[in-house]
Amino acid sequence: MFLREAWYVPVTFARQYGSRRSLRRRQLSSLNRMLAHARARVPYYRDDPDYRTGPLRSLDEVAQLPVIDKEVLRGRPLEELLADGVVPGTVPTFRTSGSTGRRVTVVHDRHSHDYHMASCVRRFLATGRYLPTDRLSHIRPFAPPARGFQKAGLFRRHVLLTDRPMGEIKAELLAAAPQVIIGYPVHLRALLRALTPAELTTLRGTLKLVMTESELLVPEHRALMEREFGAPVHDEYSAFEVLNIAYECVHQRAHLAEDRLLVEILGPDGQSVPDGAEGRVVVTAFMERAMPLIRYDLGDVGRIDTDPCPCGRRFRTLRLTAGRVNDAVLLPTGRQLYPDTFLHLAATFPGIAECSVVQSREGAVRLNVVPSTPLSRAAWDELTAAVRERLLTVAGCDFPLEVVRTDSIEITGGGKGRFVTSDAVVPRPAHSAPA
């Protein structure tokens, strides 16, 4: 509802700068209200004795509750996860991008979704470069419905669908002369490879900001895009299940949306780790009522920074470090290689534009390489040998590895690059609550 979104905009701005103490109080109060609602109206939580507790006395006590993940969403009938009376389709309803090959349905109530939409305004303005009147081109796999305020020239979005030929995409993009471009990193890298030097010069004439979303952005790819596009790159971290999680300020620090989320980082034993330590990102969106997700494991690896941001926002900042835990190559030693290993390879290795990995159940690894330029057989053999040496050194052990030349990497149903697909059995961390 537009009027409610408009009312929430100044609220979301103000809450960035409130004190940590008042923020923690608000988080605890909101979390307890959501827990009481879930226990009373959502079958999944109502039927589980682990949730039959009184109000939490502190945010630390949330660690006593179970962690859930996407397998719960896949394995349970949707109605068990919805509040009584909620009908999908009559409220905001999404399907996850299916990066693991299986998609799930997620439902949001209108109030929490309106608050999220209002908070998107601060996401854009936090870059310090975006203006509501800017021409924005969004490269994405689907087009959202137009909003009334866009007809008035505010927050306009020109959508370029990624299932079209790249020649059409870049021609339409150049004609639009955007001041802002948004897209998944994999599509923006493909765009850069397709643009001629003259076309890139034309695009840079109007472009002042690039925004990335939905995939892990490694520093080398950020630097590549900033250099080639001639504009700063700001990343956004979100998931269909909980919507926006973090947004970058002018210092390119990713501030957690702590006015609507409680974010924890869990270690290999399933217990919370202190700020600064790396672990799995677990989120509770405490404003949700249609489909509450309590301690939802996103499957991503990151850490919360310990030093305050110079921008003055009081929300903590998050750094994603390795990509999805479930998208990892399992080595014979039991160690895992996460997607960042292969994204770094594509970003830093001469001759490689993109690469992806497929691992069989038996552990054999096939590395699919998209060359950045045409290669002779001798040059390809030299590249293959160098890649094998690099990966075996990074792994610290020998493992079955085949390097294969390909024209493109696989794209998921949600439009993301599928960088790692492994059928090997990966150890799962313990998620049991402490005794």
Side-chain angles (χ1 to χ4, degrees):
M1 181 179 177
F2 175 70
L3 291 179
R4 187 161 53 215
E5 287 180 34
W7 165 254
Y8 280 148
V9 167
V11 176
T12 66
F13 267 84
R15 286 179 175 172
Q16 301 175 100
Y17 300 101
S19 70
R20 289 294 304 173
R21 178 176 296 181
S22 64
L23 173 63
R24 299 280 286 181
R25 284 200 304 265
R26 187 181 302 111
Q27 286 181 313
L28 180 60
S29 175
S30 298
L31 182 59
N32 275 323
R33 286 197 299 271
M34 189 268 281
L35 287 171
H37 166 81
R39 286 192 296 265
R41 299 196 56 194
V42 182
Y44 179 81
Y45 301 106
R46 186 169 58 212
D47 298 340
D48 190 333
D50 286 335
Y51 297 96
R52 294 173 192 162
T53 59
L56 304 181
R57 293 168 295 178
S58 73
L59 290 174
D60 293 338
E61 291 184 1
V62 76
Q64 299 172 9
L65 300 174
V67 173
I68 64 175
D69 58 21
K70 195 165 289 186
E71 291 305 315
V72 172
L73 274 60
R74 293 191 183 109
R76 297 277 181 160
L78 180 60
E79 56 268 21
E80 287 189 15
L81 298 162
L82 299 181
D84 296 336
V86 171
V87 179
T90 62
V91 291
T93 303
F94 305 99
R95 298 193 72 197
T96 62
S97 63
S99 59
T100 58
R102 291 180 292 172
R103 308 181 75 179
V104 298
T105 300
V106 179
V107 177
H108 299 280
D109 67 272
R110 294 193 182 280
H111 282 80
S112 65
H113 190 263
D114 287 347
Y115 191 93
H116 156 73
M117 293 299 292
S119 69
C120 286
V121 177
R122 75 181 176 198
R123 165 198 165 193
F124 281 87
L125 298 187
T127 64
R129 283 184 165 253
Y130 178 82
L131 296 175
T133 54
D134 281 343
R135 297 184 304 276
L136 184 153
S137 290
H138 200 158
I139 304 172
R140 61 185 303 171
F142 61 92
R147 305 292 302 277
F149 51 78
Q150 293 174 336
K151 297 177 182 178
L154 297 175
F155 300 102
R156 294 169 296 171
R157 178 162 47 182
H158 166 232
V159 176
L160 298 160
L161 297 178
T162 56
D163 60 356
R164 298 167 58 194
M166 180 53 73
E168 293 182 9
I169 291 176
K170 72 172 186 176
E172 190 172 332
L173 182 70
L174 290 167
Q179 293 159 303
V180 182
I181 294 177
I182 305 180
Y184 296 178
V186 65
H187 298 306
L188 294 176
R189 294 195 299 272
L191 173 65
L192 284 175
R193 293 195 297 273
L195 290 166
T196 67
E199 289 169 337
L200 190 56
T201 298
T202 299
L203 184 61
R204 293 175 67 164
T206 58
L207 193 63
K208 65 179 185 180
L209 175 66
V210 176
M211 301 183 75
T212 57
E213 58 186 2
S214 295
E215 292 173 359
L216 178 67
L217 178 67
V218 296
E220 293 84 358
H221 280 151
R222 185 196 292 265
L224 167 71
M225 285 188 276
E226 289 189 335
R227 182 176 67 249
E228 296 299 317
F229 283 121
V233 173
H234 286 256
D235 194 30
E236 186 242 6
Y237 178 36
S238 63
F240 280 123
E241 299 95 319
V242 293
L243 305 175
N244 175 254
I245 301 165
Y247 57 97
E248 288 191 348
C249 67
V250 294
H251 300 283
Q252 295 179 324
R253 297 277 299 274
H255 290 268
L256 292 165
E258 293 190 292
D259 52 342
R260 36 179 308 275
L261 303 170
L262 178 69
V263 178
E264 305 169 77
I265 305 296
L266 304 188
D269 60 356
Q271 303 301 309
S272 296
V273 300
D275 289 355
E278 185 179 79
R280 298 166 70 97
V281 182
V282 172
V283 174
T284 302
F286 45 69
M287 294 184 71
E288 293 287 353
R289 293 296 181 269
M291 186 176 173
L293 295 177
I294 301 170
R295 304 195 77 204
Y296 182 67
D297 187 340
L298 289 162
D300 295 318
V301 179
R303 68 173 183 267
I304 292 176
D305 294 325
T306 56
D307 53 325
C309 182
C311 77
R313 290 173 175 81
R314 305 303 292 273
F315 294 164
R316 296 178 299 168
T317 58
L318 176 74
R319 189 182 304 273
L320 295 178
T321 55
R324 299 191 67 82
V325 172
N326 293 334
D327 300 339
V329 167
L330 180 64
L331 298 172
T333 58
R335 181 186 166 202
Q336 293 172 261
L337 292 183
Y338 296 125
D340 67 317
T341 298
F342 306 101
L343 288 168
H344 279 296
L345 186 68
T348 62
F349 210 90
I352 298 180
E354 301 284 353
C355 62
S356 64
V357 176
V358 177
Q359 184 178 34
S360 69
R361 181 175 294 275
E362 294 74 26
V365 174
R366 185 181 76 242
L367 178 69
N368 300 307
V369 171
V370 180
S372 56
T373 58
L375 297 176
S376 66
R377 179 58 184 268
W380 171 253
D381 289 344
E382 183 179 347
L383 175 64
T384 298
V387 166
R388 287 182 57 84
E389 181 181 1
R390 168 76 72 84
L391 285 179
L392 293 178
T393 299
V394 170
C397 67
D398 192 18
F399 63 94
L401 172 63
E402 178 187 17
V403 182
V404 178
R405 187 179 343 202
T406 187
D407 294 329
S408 62
I409 66 167
E410 184 180 357
I411 300 296
T412 70
K416 297 181 183 179
R418 180 169 288 163
F419 300 108
V420 178
T421 304
S422 178
D423 290 328
V425 178
V426 178
R428 300 284 296 173
H431 285 330
S432 57

